[in-house]
Amino acid sequence: MNKSNRILKFTIGDNDKKNVRKFLVQHKFSSSQLHNLKNKGGLIFVNHKQRHFDFRLKNGDEILIILNSEEPSDLIAPMSGPVDVIYEDSYILVVNKPPGIASLPAKARSGKTMANVVKGYLIAKKENPTIHLVTRLDRNTSGLMVFAKTSYAHSLLDQILHSEDFQKFYLAMTYGQVKPESGLIDLPIGIDPDAFYMRNIDYQKGKPSRTIYETVEKFSDASLLKLKLLTGRTHQIRVHLTAIGHPIIGDDMYSGKVDKRIDRQALHCYRLNIVHPVTKKLLKLRAPLPKDMVMLKSVLRGEKNG
């Protein structure tokens, strides 16, 4: 079992709270993590001596937190399968998800998902296989997906998820030439009253949703767009692009038409910029365009020239 991701070290500075519990809250420990630390076998050492939550700290003190071990859920069965690892350390695992595989098991559907395969991967590495999904992608969207390796890392990532410290960029190929060529789509998204699994623009009950887009390449009757998510709604890019009259090629759910050129929506999470919540280093992560979207791009270019 990999223990390194269960140990956190801090040195107390001028701006730190001088009580162990308050210090931990200041460092983004959630109430459930404090509960687990206290009641499920976590340990706190100050200058190599075991201490409790009410211990008084002073500048220069070294505090060592050993997080409680986590029991993986039985709901997600480990499965073998390829895992395309883009980045990994003791806290974070970022993988490149292929199209056609769900992120998490749905209640009605069994079968292989990224969560099952990542659990199998962690077990093979003799690491704690508890699954903490930070970002998910639709079954037919490909690209970068983030898992945390501990609940503490998960909560730190959750707290920056919709901030400039966690930037998500996508590439999409859409019907038509988008005008203006770049801009902000700011339209509230709600659940479609006619189909619970779909989303639509809903000015009454919808949640604020914002997507920045920029045209990367124009084709005769299509566009390659780069998109940045400012919020994280279900199907956000798919609904927003449909709303401005340029649905994603292959997205039959929202475009209402089947496209012979690609058998899924041409949408790929190709870039993440994450300020690592523990090391504070900027991670610039990329996943190359998958084959089916590369093929579609060359078909669109050919249509332009042909």
Side-chain angles (χ1 to χ4, degrees):
M1 189 68 80
N2 181 355
K3 295 283 193 288
S4 62
N5 56 3
R6 289 183 47 218
I7 297 173
L8 300 163
K9 295 175 185 172
F10 303 95
T11 302
I12 306 302
D14 290 344
N15 299 323
D16 288 318
K17 304 280 188 201
K18 299 301 190 280
N19 159 292
V20 168
R21 178 193 290 276
K22 288 178 179 166
F23 173 84
L24 293 174
V25 170
Q26 182 186 7
H27 284 266
K28 308 281 178 41
F29 275 74
S30 65
S31 51
S32 66
Q33 282 154 357
L34 293 173
H35 173 84
N36 290 346
L37 192 55
K38 186 175 181 180
N39 301 307
K40 296 197 175 171
L43 297 170
I44 299 163
F45 293 91
V46 181
N47 302 332
H48 310 293
K49 289 190 178 155
Q50 194 174 343
R51 300 296 187 190
H52 296 290
F53 278 168
D54 52 4
F55 185 76
R56 295 282 304 158
L57 299 164
K58 57 188 188 301
N59 280 6
D61 279 352
E62 297 209 336
I63 185 166
L64 181 75
I65 311 292
I66 300 177
L67 302 170
N68 55 292
S69 56
E70 297 176 35
E71 289 306 312
S73 154
D74 294 334
L75 296 173
I76 295 172
M79 295 185 186
S80 63
V83 178
D84 182 3
V85 176
I86 300 294
Y87 177 85
E88 183 174 15
D89 63 18
S90 303
Y91 306 98
I92 300 176
L93 172 66
V94 182
V95 302
N96 180 17
K97 181 182 100 60
I101 180 169
S103 296
L104 272 176
K107 291 185 183 73
R109 271 203 177 123
S110 55
K112 196 174 282 191
T113 72
M114 285 310 295
N116 301 106
V117 177
V118 164
K119 189 170 188 174
Y121 168 81
L122 292 171
I123 287 173
K125 290 189 72 188
K126 300 194 165 37
E127 291 196 24
N128 186 323
T130 309
I131 292 297
H132 299 281
L133 192 73
V134 180
T135 64
R136 68 178 67 196
L137 294 173
D138 297 340
R139 173 185 288 272
N140 286 323
T141 300
S142 54
L144 296 167
M145 251 184 91
V146 181
F147 292 85
K149 290 194 175 182
T150 63
S151 68
Y152 178 62
H154 190 189
S155 112
L156 291 179
L157 287 162
D158 253 358
Q159 290 169 50
I160 63 167
L161 195 51
H162 301 300
S163 75
E164 284 298 291
D165 286 350
F166 198 120
Q167 299 179 12
K168 292 192 275 189
F169 299 90
Y170 290 73
L171 290 169
M173 292 170 205
T174 67
Y175 293 106
Q177 293 188 354
V178 181
K179 292 186 176 68
E181 289 188 8
S182 61
L184 168 69
I185 306 170
D186 187 350
L187 295 167
I189 292 176
I191 294 173
D192 189 321
D194 300 324
F196 71 91
Y197 53 86
M198 288 179 73
R199 299 294 182 268
N200 66 2
I201 303 302
D202 185 338
Y203 291 99
Q204 268 68 51
K205 296 181 189 162
K207 293 180 175 169
S209 310
R210 298 190 314 286
T211 308
I212 293 172
Y213 73 90
E214 179 188 326
T215 302
V216 179
E217 188 173 347
K218 286 191 291 191
F219 309 101
S220 60
D221 193 26
S223 304
L224 172 60
L225 302 181
K226 181 168 85 175
L227 304 118
K228 180 182 178 187
L229 280 184
L230 300 182
T231 51
R233 309 294 172 217
T234 301
H235 298 179
Q236 178 171 321
I237 292 173
R238 299 165 65 188
V239 173
H240 270 173
L241 291 176
T242 303
I244 64 165
H246 298 280
I248 298 173
I249 296 173
D251 189 358
D252 54 353
M253 184 188 283
Y254 287 103
S255 70
K257 55 186 172 188
V258 174
D259 200 301
K260 292 190 172 67
R261 297 170 294 181
I262 190 167
D263 60 3
R264 56 131 178 163
Q265 66 260 12
L267 181 61
H268 177 69
C269 180
Y270 81 105
R271 204 171 118 209
L272 291 173
N273 290 348
I274 305 171
V275 176
H276 194 297
V278 180
T279 67
K280 303 302 182 200
K281 288 196 177 104
L282 175 62
L283 305 177
K284 292 183 169 181
L285 309 175
R286 283 177 174 266
L289 207 58
K291 285 196 187 88
D292 59 352
M293 284 180 68
V294 172
M295 292 282 291
L296 176 60
K297 189 162 70 165
S298 65
V299 167
L300 294 172
R301 280 180 178 157
E303 288 173 2
K304 181 172 69 172
N305 301 328

